[in-house]
Amino acid sequence: MSLAPELKARILQSVEDGFADQVSYLQKLVRLPSVRGQEHAIQDLVFREFQARGLKVDRFDMDRDAIAAHPGGSPFSDTHSDAPIVVGIHHPREEVGRSLILNAHLDVVPTGPREMWQNDPYSAHIDGDWMYGRGAGDMKAGSGANLAALDALRRVGLQPAATVYVQSVVEEESTGNGALMTFLRGYTADAVLIPEPEAEMLVRANVGVVWFQVTVHGTPVHVAQMGEGANAIDAVYRVVQSLRELETAWNAQKAAHPYFETYDHPINLNIGKIAGGDWASSVPAWATIDCRVSLYPGQNAAEAMQIIQDHIAAYAHTDPYLSNTPPTVTFNGFTAEGYVLEPGSDAEAALGRAHEAATGEPLQSFTATAYLDTRVYALYNQIPALCYGPISRNIHGYDESVSLSSVKRITGAMALFIAEWCGVEAI
């Protein structure tokens, strides 16, 4: 049932009252660098914050064997994080409402060149409505909002009348294994809400993602005799061009995929890293590219991986050099499938009412062409999986920032959603 107007007003005012503290906490999160493999300190901070709120805390490591055995698991590599997963658990006195997972990831992507940022990438400085810093939008603002929404209820003497799991995960930017590990640990609920920076909209459909690495070996010679060798970097460029043809072919299939048919380019192949050679005056003996490509919902990740391998092999067969020295393909990160959030769930309706009460506008939805951990809950927990969060700028770029007024609005919407979905009881 919808919340009474008086209760809505009290909760929204409570969000306002606590917002200065929420911003201060977000600055703490942003000022802790948490790139892949360096998330231990920030997960320790979250652990303490959960404890301070009286949540029962479960901290656990990745189970490599369990992840490898699950079809949604992605490969481990030498750079895979070993930071723990942290889950804070709220139990009501009486379980009368519907249970909820609040999820957020605290791993961030590298900052890139420092000189491209106006200020230190971890400064968390505020200029007007915007807080700047790597991870401010993606998605430390959402992590803070998960706690702030519960804090807002607590300030008015209320708590959820159902179990709430507040999950803090890693590996969202690389494999999705952190969120998957919460599923393998046994955590589930009646719905999940993940406040990724989605411009105050709800994600209706989301791509899957595959990471892969292609290595080409050349024939090294002195540059003076380069015609007698084979340049691995030149060869890897040719592989990239061939992969663009596969990207074009997959984009041509968009009409067969609901929610993607109106997008100009829903499937994106990114050549994210390139390395090769040892010496400017030597024909390079090796070259490697690290790639990311997206998948439509319903597209099987294992089948897509086989298509990628077969495509590269078929191209190599046509190349005079690569036909005798074929490239090797390694899958070294995401092997994650996409999902569609079908309209009509009670959870979406409740979030729609909460959003409109907090913002004054109807809730809109859109199709996301980036990876989201929401896929775990949609595909494996098979629960309503809501991805909805604040307005941000330049995530994964330089001068990443998040709108603080938007953070306040979505925190209000989240608090109202929790109150309606879970019900409330006096503390």
Side-chain angles (χ1 to χ4, degrees), residues 71-145:
S74 298
F76 278 72
S77 68
D78 292 342
T79 57
H80 196 287
S81 178
D82 62 357
I85 312 298
V86 182
V87 178
I89 307 166
H90 160 77
H91 289 301
R93 289 194 309 278
E94 185 179 358
E95 194 89 27
V96 297
R98 292 168 290 194
S99 59
L100 180 65
I101 293 170
L102 298 171
N103 169 282
H105 71 88
L106 285 176
D107 54 311
V108 301
V109 300
T111 62
R114 166 64 183 87
E115 61 270 18
M116 298 186 74
W117 291 72
Q118 294 184 36
N119 293 280
D120 184 276
Y122 298 111
S123 65
H125 75 282
I126 296 172
D127 184 359
D129 185 46
W130 298 90
M131 182 187 293
Y132 289 81
R134 173 58 83 233
D138 188 14
M139 65 166 296
K140 293 179 178 181
S143 176

Side-chain angles (χ1 to χ4, degrees), residues 197-270:
E198 304 299 357
E200 300 183 10
M201 294 188 286
L202 176 67
V203 175
R204 175 65 61 205
N206 179 226
V207 296
V209 169
V210 167
W211 273 15
F212 61 99
Q213 185 180 80
V214 182
T215 300
V216 171
H217 295 285
T219 302
V221 295
H222 191 286
V223 69
Q225 290 84 39
M226 64 181 296
E228 299 174 11
N231 188 310
I233 294 176
D234 286 344
V236 89
Y237 284 159
R238 300 196 296 273
V239 173
V240 169
Q241 187 58 45
S242 173
L243 287 169
R244 292 295 177 202
E245 296 172 3
L246 179 61
E247 178 189 31
T248 298
W250 282 0
N251 274 292
Q253 300 169 10
K254 64 182 183 179
H257 298 275
Y259 305 109
F260 291 84
E261 62 269 29
T262 61
Y263 280 64
D264 290 337
H265 201 273
I267 300 300
N268 292 313
L269 168 70
N270 185 54

Side-chain angles (χ1 to χ4, degrees), residues 289-307:
I289 52 172
D290 284 74
C291 310
R292 173 268 195 202
V293 70
S294 42
L295 314 175
Y296 294 110
Q299 189 174 5
N300 180 272
E303 293 176 1
M305 292 157 66
Q306 189 62 54
I307 290 170

